[in-house]
Each structure stands twice: as structure tokens, then as C-alpha cells.
Amino acid sequence: MTTSDASSETQENPRDGSVRIEQTGAIAEMIIDRPNKHNALTPDMYRDIASCCEHVNKTDSIHVVIIRGAGDRAFCAGSDIKALDGYADFWAWRNREDYIPPILSLRKPAIAAVKGWSLGGGLEIALACDLRVVAKSAVFSAPEVALGWNGAGGAAQHLTRLCGYGQAMRLLLSGERFDATEAHRIGMVEYLVDDGDELARAREIAQSIAAHSSVATQAVKAAVRSALDVTVAQGLKYENELMSLCFAKVAKDKDR
């Protein structure tokens, strides 16, 4: 991962695909860049995503991150199945460096700008974000069941929370493709836009969020995420602690 170049590999050993960060003002864009393969992910790209997420978390000037795919055809077609051959055995696969945990570790609000194919791991990346801005022609699916396994990047967790048990079971058991209009109907997509408008709209939303205190928006994200895992009483206590931290930051800024 770099903040300007797609890869730091030498010309003698070029890499097939990368993930990079481009920052404009307070907004970072994490670009999945392997358009000739519908932005399918390789293990090297898994590590790029982890590095990008770490960079976003550590860079105070970044308030919001947009995740998007390079090229015109896809957001991300998930993991490159051929990459499975690179693991020595199933134990090595189990202990791989995966890409969803780093995205879930992002403290800053994350927006997925989705066009074209968003399959398997690509669907899971979009689901791991906080908001989804999706072009009407986008196509989603969780095809793992047809290959003989289940997805392991959070589709079951996030679809169930966003859309409910029945919808999650319908999509994950069938592996069927579904379009952006259906995704919007069942509550998976927050913003449904005309083709070609997804990135511009995501940038507008990011600008609106970035105009607020980054401490406040990170506190909102932490509070909402905690609501998925704790009781109401625990959540209220956590919200109060977060609000107290925000007050302390506001007071400190006024004293300057």
C-alpha cells in the first residue's frame, strides 16, 4: 500500500493488483485496483487493505474513507479463487491475513461506492462499511454455497443485522444474484443512484460527514456499532462515556 502509487514492487517482479489510498482534504479513498480481473483480491491485496486501514486510523487529517473499485466494471469480485492454490493446506487458509477485520477496525466512517459486480468478498466489503452508495446497475451475490462452502467475511453477520434473518437465509442459501434495486428494497443499501453517480454522491456524503468534528463522528460510529453487541443499559453507559470524551475535546478546543 502507498498513498500515491499502486505498488512498490520492482519492475522485475510486478504485482497483479493492489489497494491504495488517495487523500483529498479530510477524505481518503481506498481504491481496489485490479480492473482486468474485476478487482478480485489476491493475498497481497489483503495485506494492502490492512495497511490502508491502519494508515486511515493513524492519520488524524483523514475524517472519512470511501472504498471503491478501479475501472468501470466492478466494485470487487471477491477473492481470486486461484489464489487458494497458494496456501499450503486448510490450516494455512484458516490462519490467513484476512481483509474484513481491518475494515471493521476502521474508527472513521466508511462509505462503499459500488458499481458493477460486487460478489462474494466484494459484497462482504460493502457490508462491512457504514454506508453504501450503489449504482442501479450493480449486481450482488454471495456465491460461496454453490462452490461448496460458506462465506467467512461477515455476509451472514451483516445481512442478518441489516435485512433480517429471512432475507439473509434467502440470499445465502441460494447464492443467487440480486440487483441494486432489490438490495435497496430489503434495506442493504442506503443510497441508490443512477449509474455513474455513485462516486460523486459518496463524495458529497463524505464531505458532509467530514465537516463535523472527527471525534464526534468516530464517537457516533462507536456507539452505533456497540449497539449490535451490548444490552441497552450497557449501550447507554457507553454513549455517556463517549459524549463525555467529546465534551472534553470541545472544551479543550475552546481553550486554545
Side-chain angles (χ1 to χ4, degrees), residues 104-141:
L104 292 175
S105 78
L106 286 167
R107 296 192 296 272
K108 322 290 177 68
I111 303 169
V114 180
K115 62 177 180 299
W117 301 108
S118 183
L119 313 178
L123 169 63
E124 291 171 328
I125 289 173
L127 290 170
C129 291
D130 304 302
L131 296 169
R132 284 148 289 277
V133 183
V134 178
K136 290 179 180 177
S137 64
V139 177
F140 299 94
S141 80

Side-chain angles (χ1 to χ4, degrees), residues 72 114-116 134-138 180 192-199:
D72 300 323
V114 180
K115 62 177 180 299
V134 178
K136 290 179 180 177
S137 64
L192 184 65
V193 301
D194 290 334
D195 293 350
D197 290 345
E198 66 283 345
L199 183 54

Side-chain angles (χ1 to χ4, degrees), residues 19-20 38 42 44 47 67 73 77 83 94 96 100 110 112 153 157 176-177 198 217 220 224 233 238 241 245 252:
V19 181
R20 68 182 189 277
H38 296 291
T42 67
D44 282 334
R47 289 184 281 273
I67 301 180
R73 299 182 296 170
R94 177 192 181 276
R96 71 196 180 282
I100 295 299
Q157 307 305 313
E176 67 186 19
R177 292 179 180 176
E198 66 283 345
T217 57
V220 167
V224 173
Y238 187 45
E241 296 300 321
L245 291 172
K252 183 178 180 180

Side-chain angles (χ1 to χ4, degrees), residues 23-249:
Q23 183 177 351
T24 302
I27 299 169
E29 295 186 11
M30 187 187 307
I31 303 165
I32 304 169
D33 192 357
R34 198 185 179 210
N36 60 313
K37 297 292 186 180
H38 296 291
N39 298 319
L41 300 170
T42 67
D44 282 334
M45 294 169 74
Y46 297 179
R47 289 184 281 273
D48 284 349
I49 289 174
S51 295
C52 285
C53 291
E54 182 179 11
H55 174 78
V56 168
N57 278 338
K58 288 184 176 180
T59 304
D60 290 341
S61 61
I62 295 174
H63 292 191
V64 185
V65 59
I66 296 170
I67 301 180
R68 64 180 177 91
D72 300 323
R73 299 182 296 170
F75 174 67
C76 175
S79 295
D80 189 332
I81 298 300
K82 293 180 180 178
L84 294 174
D85 295 335
Y87 292 93
D89 52 32
F90 295 115
W91 187 253
W93 166 256
R94 177 192 181 276
N95 294 311
R96 71 196 180 282
E97 295 180 74
D98 206 359
Y99 49 91
I100 295 299
I103 294 172
L104 292 175
S105 78
L106 286 167
R107 296 192 296 272
K108 322 290 177 68
I111 303 169
V114 180
K115 62 177 180 299
W117 301 108
S118 183
L119 313 178
L123 169 63
E124 291 171 328
I125 289 173
L127 290 170
C129 291
D130 304 302
L131 296 169
R132 284 148 289 277
V133 183
V134 178
K136 290 179 180 177
S137 64
V139 177
F140 299 94
S141 80
E144 291 88 351
V145 70
L147 300 172
W149 56 80
N150 66 290
Q157 307 305 313
H158 296 128
L159 277 174
T160 303
R161 287 168 167 82
L162 284 168
C163 309
Y165 180 91
Q167 297 291 1
M169 291 294 283
R170 174 173 71 90
L171 298 173
L172 297 177
L173 286 176
S174 69
E176 67 186 19
R177 292 179 180 176
F178 57 103
D179 62 22
T181 300
E182 175 69 359
H184 185 256
R185 184 188 73 80
I186 65 176
M188 195 191 94
V189 168
E190 289 74 34
Y191 301 91
L192 184 65
V193 301
D194 290 334
D195 293 350
D197 290 345
E198 66 283 345
L199 183 54
R201 184 70 178 113
R203 287 169 174 167
E204 289 176 1
I205 296 164
Q207 287 283 5
S208 177
I209 295 170
H212 302 306
S213 158
S214 185
V215 172
T217 57
Q218 289 182 62
V220 167
K221 176 169 179 172
V224 173
R225 289 271 174 163
S226 76
L228 300 173
D229 298 316
V230 302
T231 66
V232 172
Q234 291 170 326
L236 286 170
K237 183 176 181 180
Y238 187 45
E239 287 184 30
N240 187 63
E241 296 300 321
L242 290 167
M243 190 175 187
S244 299
L245 291 172
C246 290
F247 280 161
K249 180 65 166 61

